Amino acid sequence: MSCYLTTGKHMSLYWSVLTVLLLLAITAPVALAFGFAGASAARSEFPPMRWFGKSYIAVVRGVPDIAFFLFFVIALDQAIEYLRHKALCPDWSEPIRQGNDFVVCQAAKMPLGEAPQWVHETYGFSLAVLTFAIVFGAFAANVLFGAMRAVPRAQLETAEAYGMTQRQTFWRILVPQMWVYALPGLSNLWMVLIKATPLLFLLGVEDIVYWARELGGTKTPRFTDYPHGDWRMWYFLALLVFYLLFTRVSEIVLDRIMARLTHGQATAAGEAQRKAAA
Amino acid sequence: MSCWQTIQDYGLRAVGIGERLLPREDFTLCQQFTLIGSGMIWNIYFGVFALILGFLLATALAMGKASSNRLLRKPSEWFIFVFRGSPLFIQFFFGYFLFLNLKNVSPIFDPFTAAWLGALIVLFLNTAAYSAEIFYGALLSIPKGDTEAADAYGMSGWSRFRRVIWPTMLRLAWPAYTNEAIFLFHATALVFFSGFPAWQQRGDALYYANYFADKTFNPFVPYPILAFYFILLTLVIVGVFGLVNSRLNKHLPQDLKPKLRLRPNLIR
């Protein structure tokens, strides 16, 4: 049994778990940055900026996320190749869209045709990360936008009374205080992000879903030392348990962070903490 | 070929009526609109049936989770945890392969491997768990005065549940439940990407949108069309649920009515 679980392909399965964790580790901060930018744009004084921020939030949230995943991967790929094409091959005369084909010059191919395999994989992975960040950035923007408005008005007025400029008020008063209001929404988003990671499979990354299908499929004695029937059900059961555990652990950790952040805040939960301590 | 002709040929393609062959080249805008729209039939089918069945189970689960009886509470809690804690995508895969294995045991399970039944069951259980959590939250926030008033009128058991607890629970849960409904319709787009085969290319809207994007290598037409349909569907859901919401709040003074606040911001 332990021999079976350590075959080369199973090792790939374990590596793909790391891929998922890596995706989460990169996407979460990037999406948060997108969200912060989106939320700041949505409450900007400058109308076009505000419209841009608001429509970014509204459009991404109104459409099934999976449609966005499928859309952005092709769209981003084509956008990058188009830009490179314009920059690298200025004297190319044929149109880029020829009927059903998308044609760019050889030098503009992304990644380059002769690039090694790992470059292709990394490129695919970073497209996936960017896509996740764009979609989850919109959700995060929505949460942060709400959190910025939840900071008590009196706090900002006090800052202004002290003679702080708009920028100072924003960075020194609003941003530090908004996290406690944003955390419930953000932790919810984190759970959702965990549960969206299997969609990586649809973006062409060889993730755990891919390997579970691959390894679970019927194996004949001709190709492997460990023939077995259709075990995909058991592999997916294992994935199910993996995600359940992951969610549970996240829940516990996030509860701790919330308790830490609530400390000393003028909210009902903060009040309860003070009473419990006294 | 005129657009009217295309609509006749492909309008019901998703349920197997009309032309057998999908268009292969020279895709017109009309074809894309028609086929993706015809795929929406499946999205609406999955959404509506899962929602109706899920509503019934969710009420039972919420009552179970709020019950003081351990034998009722524990299973409900576990059910909700399992279906809310794991990705829908994995649930679809697991469900599909489970049904495949069951099919070998007995031919009764044949239809379960088809999307129309198998995927519906997975969606039904999933939405039941999410709705149950919403209903449970609402159940806990029923004003104490309401149940005390019911007690004072001598109501108990079924009549108290039917006349006081259940309507109040629904009223409190309705805005969140609307979000859940929107979100469920979005989740239906996953069905044909998660193991369940699209038999004779009868797929849902995303299946056709993906088909066009693959063939033309141009995502900028089919996906916006899909987005258009989904936004339309979302508006319809908001409208219908808004009507129910005003009905549930009919007895309240006008300015106290909670407005529907929509935040469909979840993904499974």
Side-chain angles (χ1 to χ4, degrees):
Chain A
M1 187 69 191
S2 66
C3 267
Y4 173 68
L5 285 178
T6 49
T7 56
K9 286 202 165 178
H10 276 86
M11 283 309 177
S12 314
L13 172 70
Y14 307 140
W15 276 112
S16 64
V17 172
L18 286 185
T19 314
V20 168
L21 296 181
L22 185 69
L23 175 91
L24 281 172
I26 301 177
T27 310
V30 178
L32 204 56
F34 269 66
F36 193 75
S40 315
R43 65 191 294 287
S44 154
E45 298 284 317
F46 180 57
M49 203 62 184
R50 194 166 61 229
W51 297 329
F52 172 75
K54 290 207 163 154
S55 51
Y56 168 54
I57 299 176
V59 169
V60 177
R61 285 168 62 237
V63 179
D65 54 328
I66 170 179
F68 265 99
F69 288 137
L70 293 177
F71 171 77
F72 270 123
V73 168
I74 311 182
L76 284 174
D77 192 35
Q78 290 191 355
I80 292 171
E81 290 200 342
Y82 177 81
L83 290 177
R84 282 171 60 96
H85 178 80
K86 285 283 165 206
L88 296 175
C89 316
D91 38 73
W92 187 276
S93 58
E94 292 168 54
I96 290 183
R97 267 194 203 292
Q98 300 173 358
N100 292 338
D101 289 323
F102 183 85
V103 182
V104 292
C105 64
Q106 277 304 316
K109 283 266 190 295
M110 189 73 192
L112 294 171
E114 71 266 20
Q117 178 65 20
W118 69 269
V119 175
H120 282 268
E121 279 174 12
T122 313
Y123 178 67
F125 183 74
S126 16
L127 273 188
V129 168
L130 196 56
T131 308
F132 266 79
I134 290 173
V135 173
F136 281 91
F139 296 113
N142 189 46
V143 170
L144 293 180
F145 183 66
M148 285 178 185
R149 282 203 305 202
V151 173
R153 186 77 205 116
Q155 296 279 345
L156 304 182
E157 278 166 6
T158 313
E160 278 159 21
Y162 271 101
M164 286 192 189
T165 61
Q166 281 249 302
R167 180 176 298 243
Q168 281 174 327
T169 316
F170 180 76
W171 285 109
R172 297 191 190 173
I173 308 296
L174 186 65
V175 173
Q177 286 199 25
M178 74 182 188
W179 297 110
V180 69
Y181 300 98
L183 197 70
L186 288 181
S187 55
N188 193 17
L189 203 59
W190 169 252
M191 301 291 181
V192 173
L193 184 63
I194 293 176
K195 285 184 254 162
T197 48
L199 297 179
L200 262 185
F201 171 64
L202 295 179
L203 309 185
V205 177
E206 292 183 358
D207 75 330
I208 37 182
V209 177
Y210 172 87
W211 285 112
R213 268 164 67 113
E214 198 71 352
L215 291 167
T218 309
K219 297 279 192 302
T220 51
R222 249 175 81 192
F223 299 110
T224 163
D225 296 338
Y226 307 99
H228 59 72
D230 190 349
W231 281 3
R232 283 176 292 189
M233 183 178 122
W234 304 111
Y235 276 93
F236 278 101
L237 188 63
L239 285 192
L240 210 69
V241 172
F242 165 71
Y243 275 106
L244 279 179
L245 287 177
F246 199 9
T247 317
R248 190 82 197 103
V249 170
S250 307
E251 255 175 23
I252 294 169
V253 171
L254 286 168
D255 275 352
R256 293 231 172 122
I257 298 179
M258 187 68 197
R260 168 78 49 94
L261 274 187
T262 316
H263 192 76
Q265 288 279 346
T267 57
E271 196 65 26
Q273 263 188 1
R274 254 192 299 283
K275 285 222 181 87
Chain B
M1 198 160 67
S2 73
C3 189
W4 177 235
Q5 182 66 38
T6 308
I7 294 180
Q8 281 182 332
D9 280 351
Y10 290 117
L12 294 172
R13 176 62 178 76
V15 285
I17 300 171
E19 265 305 302
R20 252 193 89 111
L21 287 177
L22 293 183
R24 285 177 186 282
E25 55 215 353
D26 301 328
F27 304 95
T28 60
L29 205 57
C30 177
Q31 281 174 340
Q32 306 204 7
F33 254 103
T34 315
L35 258 179
I36 295 175
S38 123
M40 287 302 284
I41 297 173
W42 280 112
N43 293 96
I44 293 172
Y45 160 81
F46 284 126
V48 167
F49 280 92
L51 208 59
I52 294 172
L53 296 173
F55 177 81
L56 302 175
L57 182 58
T59 313
L61 281 172
M63 295 305 290
K65 190 171 177 183
S67 148
S68 53
N69 185 345
R70 253 183 91 83
L71 286 177
L72 290 176
R73 195 176 65 237
K74 282 292 158 193
S76 319
E77 277 175 356
W78 271 100
F79 181 90
I80 293 175
F81 173 65
V82 167
F83 278 93
R84 287 183 78 233
S86 59
L88 179 63
F89 199 54
I90 304 281
Q91 287 168 22
F92 272 131
F93 269 114
F94 177 66
Y96 178 63
F97 294 124
L98 175 73
F99 291 138
L100 268 189
N101 279 7
L102 286 175
K103 198 171 152 179
N104 294 336
V105 178
S106 145
I108 304 170
F109 290 103
D110 266 0
F112 284 87
T113 50
W116 70 269
L117 185 58
L120 183 63
I121 288 178
V122 176
L123 275 171
F124 151 62
L125 295 176
N126 188 283
T127 188
Y130 276 88
S131 318
E133 187 66 24
I134 294 171
F135 288 162
Y136 172 70
L139 214 51
L140 292 189
S141 49
I142 290 178
K144 215 167 92 187
D146 285 21
T147 40
E148 277 170 2
D151 287 339
Y153 273 104
M155 287 185 191
S156 66
W158 174 247
S159 73
R160 190 175 77 150
F161 173 75
R162 170 71 193 78
R163 290 171 182 233
V164 180
I165 294 181
W166 195 62
T168 316
M169 176 188 90
L170 281 188
R171 182 168 69 81
L172 295 175
W174 208 254
Y177 189 58
T178 310
N179 287 340
E180 163 60 24
I182 293 172
F183 172 28
L184 173 70
F185 275 92
H186 285 184
T188 57
L190 273 175
V191 170
F192 290 104
F193 285 85
S194 56
F196 287 99
W199 186 57
Q200 290 182 348
Q201 293 187 312
R202 298 175 190 177
D204 75 330
L206 187 66
Y207 176 82
Y208 288 122
N210 188 45
Y211 172 82
F212 283 120
D214 276 355
K215 293 278 175 205
T216 61
F217 205 55
N218 177 4
F220 298 98
V221 179
Y223 288 121
I225 295 176
L226 177 80
F228 162 78
Y229 276 120
F230 264 100
I231 289 172
L232 214 63
L233 181 63
T234 307
L235 291 179
V236 171
I237 299 167
V238 171
V240 172
F241 275 72
L243 286 181
V244 178
N245 189 46
S246 54
R247 155 97 199 166
L248 284 171
N249 288 305
K250 210 166 61 174
H251 60 290
L252 293 180
Q254 286 297 324
D255 52 335
L256 269 182
K257 278 187 191 172
K259 272 253 197 71
L260 266 184
R261 252 185 88 228
L262 292 169
R263 287 188 298 148
N265 64 349
L266 298 158
I267 298 163
R268 284 173 221 208

